[in-house]
Amino acid sequence: TMRKRKTRDSPPSSTNLSEGQEKLRLKQEVGLISGVSLIAGTMIGSGIFMSPEWVLHHMGSPASSLLIWTACGLLAMFGALSYAELGTIIKESGGEYIYILRIFGSFPAFLFAYTSVILVRPAGLAAVCLSFAEYAVAPFYPGCSSPQVVVKCTAAACILILTIVNCLNVRLATSIMNIFTAAKLLALLVIVVGGFVLLAKGQTQSFQNAFQNTTASIGTIGVAFYQGLWSFDGWNNLNYVTEELKKPEVTLPRAVMIAIPLVTCLYLLVNVSYLAAMTPSELLSSGAVAVTWGDKVLGSWAWLISLSVALSTFGSSNGTFFSGGRVCYIAAREGHMPDILSMAHVRRLTPSPALLFTSAMSLIMIISGNFTSIVNFFSFIAWLFYGMTITGLLYLKIKKKELPRSYKV
């Protein structure tokens, strides 16, 4: 089956910017708690288990790396608050795509849709699946780095399994997301509690002369931000389901102001725990930092951390894959993507063409790249469009002052 609607090329009306041509509306069933869970659950994925060593590598010292994590949280907060105001003006689902379309018109939205579907979404999925692969194979190669061929093959297998699951049944895909969220929270809770225990025992050597060897290169700091911001990606996910929110003008900003500070504090505590268990040099030489932490703190029970993180990253990759068809569908509905990408399986009602296309692009990226290069690539393009979207908010503040606003940032 296929649904689409005519492209809207005319500029947005000053009286009703978010007026749509589609009469059918999704049920408004997402409340505040669900909204907080959606943001936090999407943000906490593979990044906090993979990025800490790369942030430290680029910054050179423990204290400066913690400052980068704090700054990334603030930047995500500012971006999310700006998106919250946009979401109360343009009350349509679709995130950046629908905002760019309604503010700047068809051509920029067309560029965003193709960039997102061909590059950004597949890059995000590839990076998360590589994280899963690193932790899944780490127990089989104790004391040494896992072979890249094995890691890439495992990541490719993960993508193919996710493709099959998401093409077969929507309910199965959402059940996997819910189950694996529990594993992710359990792993982080164990790491945080373990960190407090180590600090109480006096293991604070990593925090002595904590700013020593800090880098001063602007370019290197920028790359460190890319790695840190990858862990916060997902702060804008609630804007993709604006039409399904109860009282979006209230729920959207409140959910943002609760979820992002919580995740930022959790990330800082996890990083402190890593540094309490390992010296900076040990952290830098670790291919899977949480596994190394488990070996030092839990001993023979370290495999539990590896299993929990593998489950966490698999669930995160499933969530990324599950939501990947939303922009595809909306862009095809507006006439900016081929009609086949807005089609769904007749009996299973899953967006199979969009999922298969995303899967193929992700496999290409896994073959040709590694985790750090894919994350840097993803972050650069993604934040370019985030900046463009927030520029649209500034434009509305200056040129469309008459638009009704229930929330301002």
Side-chain angles (χ1 to χ4, degrees):
T1 59
M2 179 180 68
R3 294 176 61 204
K4 68 173 184 175
R5 73 193 221 191
K6 295 179 181 178
T7 307
R8 181 173 173 174
D9 293 317
S10 57
S13 165
S14 61
T15 56
N16 190 357
L17 192 68
S18 62
E19 181 183 1
Q21 297 178 12
E22 191 176 40
K23 292 183 179 179
L24 291 174
R25 291 290 178 191
L26 298 172
K27 289 183 179 180
Q28 293 181 312
E29 294 181 339
V30 180
L32 179 60
I33 295 175
S34 299
V36 171
S37 300
L38 180 63
I39 296 172
T42 308
M43 288 171 68
I44 302 171
S46 65
I48 190 59
F49 304 116
M50 294 292 289
S51 294
E53 65 177 286
W54 295 106
V55 174
L56 179 61
H57 169 75
H58 292 296
M59 292 309 299
S61 68
S64 60
S65 68
L66 291 175
L67 286 177
I68 289 292
W69 283 99
T70 305
C72 287
L74 287 172
L75 188 56
M77 185 71 182
F78 293 151
L81 290 173
S82 300
Y83 269 50
E85 181 171 347
L86 273 170
T88 59
I89 299 172
I90 305 171
K91 297 178 182 178
E92 294 181 74
S93 296
E96 294 87 9
Y97 172 78
I98 207 69
Y99 301 149
I100 291 172
L101 176 65
R102 297 292 178 244
I103 297 169
F104 296 116
S106 288
F107 184 65
F110 168 82
L111 290 178
F112 171 80
Y114 270 84
T115 306
S116 177
V117 171
I118 294 174
L119 298 175
V120 177
R121 287 284 178 176
L125 179 61
V128 178
C129 288
L130 282 169
S131 305
F132 163 78
E134 285 280 1
Y135 279 93
V137 304
F140 299 100
Y141 297 93
C144 63
S145 299
S146 306
Q148 281 302 298
V149 174
V150 176
V151 171
K152 289 189 176 186
C153 287
T154 307
C158 176
I159 289 177
L160 293 174
I161 292 169
L162 289 172
T163 305
I164 294 168
V165 168
N166 281 271
C167 286
L168 284 178
N169 194 307
V170 172
R171 185 173 294 177
L172 177 60
T174 53
S175 298
I176 287 174
M177 257 190 293
N178 295 336
I179 293 168
F180 286 74
T181 297
K184 139 190 347 182
L185 293 175
L186 178 63
L188 288 178
L189 185 61
V190 169
I191 292 171
V192 169
V193 172
F196 279 125
V197 171
L198 292 174
L199 291 174
K201 290 181 178 179
Q203 289 191 219
T204 58
Q205 63 272 19
S206 294
F207 304 101
Q208 296 167 5
N209 301 318
F211 280 102
Q212 190 174 358
N213 300 321
T214 300
T215 185
S217 167
I218 296 297
T220 308
I221 293 171
V223 177
F225 262 103
Y226 284 160
Q227 293 292 327
L229 289 171
W230 159 254
S231 301
F232 284 92
D233 197 67
W235 53 265
N236 56 335
N237 256 34
L238 206 56
N239 291 76
Y240 284 88
V241 293
T242 305
E243 295 171 19
E244 299 166 64
L245 291 178
K246 297 175 183 176
K247 297 182 180 178
E249 64 280 356
V250 176
T251 303
L252 192 52
R254 282 185 182 175
V256 164
M257 287 186 274
I258 294 171
I260 297 178
L262 279 176
V263 172
T264 304
C265 291
L266 187 59
Y267 281 1
L268 286 170
L269 290 173
V270 169
N271 272 280
V272 167
S273 180
Y274 288 153
L275 290 165
M278 292 170 269
T279 63
S281 59
E282 287 175 329
L283 200 152
L284 288 172
S285 63
S286 170
V289 63
V291 170
T292 308
W293 183 93
D295 289 337
K296 286 186 163 291
V297 178
L298 300 179
S300 60
W301 292 94
W303 62 271
L304 281 174
I305 290 291
S306 183
L307 176 63
S308 297
V309 175
L311 293 175
S312 166
T313 48
F314 184 82
S316 180
S317 58
N318 181 65
T320 303
F321 200 71
F322 182 77
S323 62
R326 190 176 290 271
V327 172
C328 240
Y329 164 72
I330 293 175
R333 187 180 72 181
E334 294 287 343
H336 286 159
M337 298 292 292
D339 287 340
I340 191 172
L341 294 179
S342 68
M343 293 182 182
H345 192 280
V346 175
R347 292 186 301 278
R348 301 188 185 279
L349 299 178
T350 54
S352 303
L355 295 173
L356 289 170
F357 181 78
T358 302
S359 174
M361 295 303 300
S362 299
L363 288 171
I364 292 171
M365 290 192 176
I366 281 177
I367 292 167
S368 59
N370 55 43
F371 177 80
T372 49
S373 63
I374 290 173
V375 167
N376 291 341
F377 171 75
F378 169 89
S379 296
F380 176 78
I381 296 179
W383 279 88
L384 195 66
F385 281 108
Y386 295 159
M388 183 178 180
T389 306
I390 293 170
T391 302
L393 175 63
L394 298 177
Y395 170 80
L396 292 180
K397 284 178 174 290
I398 296 168
K399 296 292 186 180
K400 304 283 183 181
K401 294 180 180 179
E402 72 279 4
L403 287 174
R405 288 177 172 84
S406 55
Y407 162 78
K408 295 181 182 179
V409 58

